[in-house]
Amino acid sequence: MRTSKRDTILKAALSVVETDGVTALTYESVAAASGLTKGGLLYHFPSKDAMMLALHEHQAQHWDEEMIHALGKDPDEASQDERLAAYARVSARGATGAELLLMLAASTDSELSKPWKRVITRWVPDPASIDPTDPRALQKMVAYLAADGLWLSESVGAIPLPHQLRAALAEHLARSVADADELPSNEANQRAQAPSSVMDFRLWQESPSSRHFSKPSPGLVCSPGCSSST
């Protein structure tokens, strides 16, 4: 399939970011990298901002397609756990320099962040919906955050991991999502803890300190017919 000129321009723009950073992205630098004229770029992208937004959309779509491939089916037909497991598996490849630079740029620009947010919200749980007392939900969030850490690790100066180890870690995180459902639910945990709480209360009742606290002072004990003032 022949690559369109638009895709050629975006691939050239990505190479500029990878080599020289986001600030180096200009019509002149992309024209030189793509072999096209500045007029050819203007035909597809009437402004530098339009080209920048298109590059973010292009990379976010590429990331989305990687996860669809890892999932092996339409994301709309998959469960949240299946989508999260695919997200974890894709983290094995690690971030490219261009991806990291683009995401950093998007973090301070609401328009540029929209394509990335659309992808992320499709594949990972909404943190606002997580019950912090639910061990199952917590394990899935740990898998999500660990996948992000694996994806970013080498980009932030961590010791490079062998390819097989990266793949094994990503697969372990993906399996941990399914394994989370084997954990006791929050309700089960509460039921399991209830007898312990009752027992603790009974032990307190039977302790010397509680008996001393609850026993009336000898000076206040009267025989029948006496008054406390005597």
Side-chain angles (χ1 to χ4, degrees):
M1 183 177 177
R2 187 178 177 182
T3 303
S4 69
K5 283 189 177 181
R6 189 178 190 278
D7 285 344
T8 298
I9 293 168
L10 291 174
K11 287 179 181 178
L14 189 65
S15 70
V16 170
V17 173
E18 183 79 44
T19 304
D20 300 313
V22 174
T23 56
L25 195 68
T26 63
Y27 280 119
E28 291 74 18
S29 64
V30 176
S34 66
L36 300 173
T37 65
K38 183 177 178 181
L41 269 62
L42 284 165
Y43 175 79
H44 293 281
F45 305 106
S47 69
K48 180 184 170 182
D49 287 345
M51 182 166 61
M52 180 68 78
L53 179 58
L55 182 57
H56 281 262
E57 291 172 340
H58 178 77
Q59 282 307 106
Q61 181 181 351
H62 175 69
W63 187 31
D64 190 57
E65 289 169 354
E66 282 187 292
M67 288 185 281
I68 292 173
H69 179 73
L71 179 62
K73 60 181 175 181
D74 187 332
D76 293 334
E77 297 174 358
S79 67
Q80 175 66 78
D81 287 357
E82 288 174 324
R83 293 194 296 272
L84 180 56
Y87 181 94
R89 289 188 173 101
V90 169
S91 71
R93 74 159 172 81
T96 65
E99 283 175 325
L100 188 58
L101 290 171
L102 288 171
M103 283 193 166
L104 287 172
S107 68
T108 58
D109 188 306
S110 60
E111 281 302 307
L112 297 181
S113 68
K114 286 179 181 178
W116 301 101
K117 287 180 178 178
R118 280 196 296 268
V119 173
I120 291 172
T121 55
R122 185 183 194 185
W123 293 93
V124 303
D126 177 8
S129 69
I130 299 299
D131 178 357
T133 66
D134 183 353
R136 297 178 179 182
L138 292 178
Q139 179 157 317
K140 292 172 186 179
M141 283 299 294
V142 168
Y144 157 46
L145 295 172
D148 277 355
L150 181 61
W151 188 72
L152 287 167
S153 59
E154 292 183 18
S155 298
V156 294
I159 297 172
L161 301 174
H163 175 73
Q164 287 185 330
L165 178 58
R166 290 187 68 87
L169 288 169
E171 188 60 31
H172 177 79
L173 292 174
R175 288 198 304 269
S176 75
V177 175
D179 292 345
D181 289 331
E182 301 300 320
L183 293 173
S185 67
N186 185 38
E187 183 180 350
N189 275 346
Q190 290 175 340
R191 288 198 302 267
Q193 291 170 5
S196 174
S197 300
V198 171
M199 182 61 71
D200 287 345
F201 178 71
R202 288 176 178 172
L203 288 173
W204 180 85
Q205 282 186 313
E206 295 170 0
S207 68
S209 59
S210 67
R211 287 197 298 269
H212 174 75
F213 184 81
S214 59
K215 186 182 295 183
S217 170
L220 297 178
V221 176
C222 296
S223 58
C226 77
S227 69
S228 58
S229 58
T230 59

